[in-house]
Each structure stands twice: as C-alpha cells, then as structure tokens.
Amino acid sequence: MIPSPGECHLWLVAVRPRPEWLPLLDPAERERAGRLAGTGAGAQFVTSRAAQRLIGSRYLGLPPRAVRTDRSCRHCGAAGHGPPRFVGRPDVSHAVSHAGGWLLVAVTAGEPVGVDLEETSGARDLAGLAGTTLTTAEARRYATLPEAERRRWLLSAWTRKEAAMKLTGLGLRVAPRLLDVSGPLAAAEGVAGWPAEPVRLRDLTLPTGYVGALATTGPVRALRRLSLPEPADAGAVER
C-alpha cells in the first residue's frame, strides 16, 4: 500500500456529519467535536481527524483507533502547529487540506509533501489577497488577466504557495510575497529553513468549483486517486 517512488496517493473525502466516526477520535478530539457539534466546523473537524486515522491504518497496518499523528513543529519543536506525521512510519509523509465540502489528503513515500485546495466561489477580497500574496512579477501577470479569469488564477496561485509552505513546515512564517510559484518550482530567496532540494509544484484536477495544488521535493510521475469508504464498508477502492 505504500506509494511507489515517484507516486502520490490522493484521498478526497466529502465533509458531512458522520456520528459513526466519533468513536475513532481520541478523548480530547471528542471533547472538541462536542463543542463544535451541529456546525460546519464540527463536521469538518470530525471528518479530518477520523479520515486521517482511517487512511493511516492502510499504511501502518493498525486499527484506525491505534493510529497516532505527531503535529510537532520540526523548526521550533512546539506541539500542535507542525505538519502531520504518522507516528511509527517515518517512510510515509502526508499532508491535509480542507475547504468547503471536501477534505484532501496527499500521501508520499518518505519525501515531504504539501497540498492545498480552495473553493473558487468563496467570498474573498481578491484585491487584498493579491496585494498580500503575489510577488511583483506575479502581480504584473495578474493585472494583465481579463476580469473573468482573475479569481481562479489568483486562488490557484494561492494553493501553490500554501502547498509549498506546508511542505516546508514553515507555514505563514514565510511571507507569501517572497514565494514565486509562477513556474514548475517554488522560488524562495533568503527564507530561513527553506529546503535545499527543489520544491516542485503540480496543479490538481478537483471537483467543479475547487482548485488545488501539490508540492513535493521529488518528481511525481503518477497520481493514484483513492476513495475512502465508510468504516462499515470493505477496503478503499481506487477510482
């Protein structure tokens, strides 16, 4: 089940209320889910944490409840805000993103990975996002686009930056305006902690109304799309 070299597994999971997934969460997560019960944020939280355990069980060979995820920051050591890592399986890297009605999990073998998705129809201050996100060269490109193309182009650029920042574990400690993602590699000059290896970018094909991107340090030659059935169903099926 471990991805082959040059392969990335993409798991796309619909976000919706699933009370039957609550037992997969640990006590602290169930307490948080209880505080969010009945809200969209609650469904998103339960889906994310339970799906990561269900997916992790496929790679670790453990029951979902036994899957543990380390979220400590590899830069400062603090708990809770680092990229997720399955405990006990250092040869498996995964990244998570959610927006609107979808959760996306990317899994690679060994090398770090970052992923991001965004809704194209969400209420966003495009001018503000462009002003705080784009490099000078990217801003010039954005200004030349027809009005009808700007939203999707800008949000696509944002997902490429987010995926790259997640891969590094630096997150928004990297000012997005320092990160150029107009080409196949993310270019960041003078950013402490940026990887020595090239950060490769790839746009993803997602459901209508969403854009997304994948970041890896090694070339991705194959994307394998997997679906996650409900716990009562048998195994994951490839689509």
Side-chain angles (χ1 to χ4, degrees):
M1 184 65 187
I2 302 301
S4 304
E7 181 183 47
C8 177
H9 293 176
L10 292 177
W11 300 79
L12 191 62
V13 184
V15 173
R16 61 177 179 80
R18 291 183 179 86
E20 67 274 19
W21 279 12
L22 280 172
L24 299 178
L25 276 58
D26 66 28
E29 290 169 336
R30 287 197 295 273
E31 181 181 352
R32 181 175 173 184
R35 295 196 301 270
L36 297 171
T39 68
Q44 191 177 80
F45 177 75
V46 173
T47 300
S48 178
R49 294 304 173 92
Q52 287 182 70
R53 284 194 165 85
L54 290 164
I55 291 168
S57 71
R58 309 303 174 97
Y59 299 101
L60 277 67
L62 297 172
R65 289 189 186 90
V67 173
R68 296 290 177 265
T69 300
D70 177 16
R71 293 181 174 84
S72 59
C73 176
R74 59 176 175 261
H75 296 283
C76 72
H81 66 256
R85 295 181 292 276
F86 292 129
V87 174
R89 202 68 202 247
D91 58 332
V92 176
S93 298
H94 78 289
V96 182
S97 183
H98 45 70
W102 292 102
L103 171 80
L104 181 62
V105 180
V107 182
T108 58
E111 68 182 32
V113 62
V115 74
D116 192 61
L117 80 161
E118 293 284 339
E119 281 187 283
T120 58
S121 61
R124 299 293 293 263
D125 174 9
L126 295 187
L129 183 62
T132 58
T133 298
L134 301 180
T135 65
T136 301
E138 289 169 341
R140 284 198 297 264
R141 167 65 175 147
Y142 177 68
T144 68
L145 295 173
E147 192 70 30
E149 297 178 15
R150 288 187 175 185
R151 174 179 289 272
R152 186 176 184 87
W153 186 94
L154 178 59
L155 291 176
S156 180
W158 174 246
T159 65
R160 289 162 72 86
K161 290 175 189 269
E162 276 273 20
M165 293 186 293
K166 288 179 181 179
L167 176 147
T168 66
L170 293 168
L172 288 173
R173 282 176 288 178
V174 178
R177 286 182 295 182
L178 299 178
L179 183 58
D180 189 293
V181 295
S182 56
L185 303 179
E189 293 188 10
V191 176
W194 195 261
E197 306 94 332
V199 176
R200 305 166 192 265
L201 302 171
R202 180 170 180 156
D203 295 326
L204 298 174
T205 300
L206 295 168
T208 301
Y210 290 83
V211 292
L214 180 73
T216 58
T217 53
V220 173
R221 302 180 183 88
L223 290 178
R224 184 180 176 192
R225 296 177 182 270
L226 299 163
S227 63
L228 186 64
E230 304 302 312
D233 295 336
V237 293
E238 186 174 353
R239 317 190 275 194

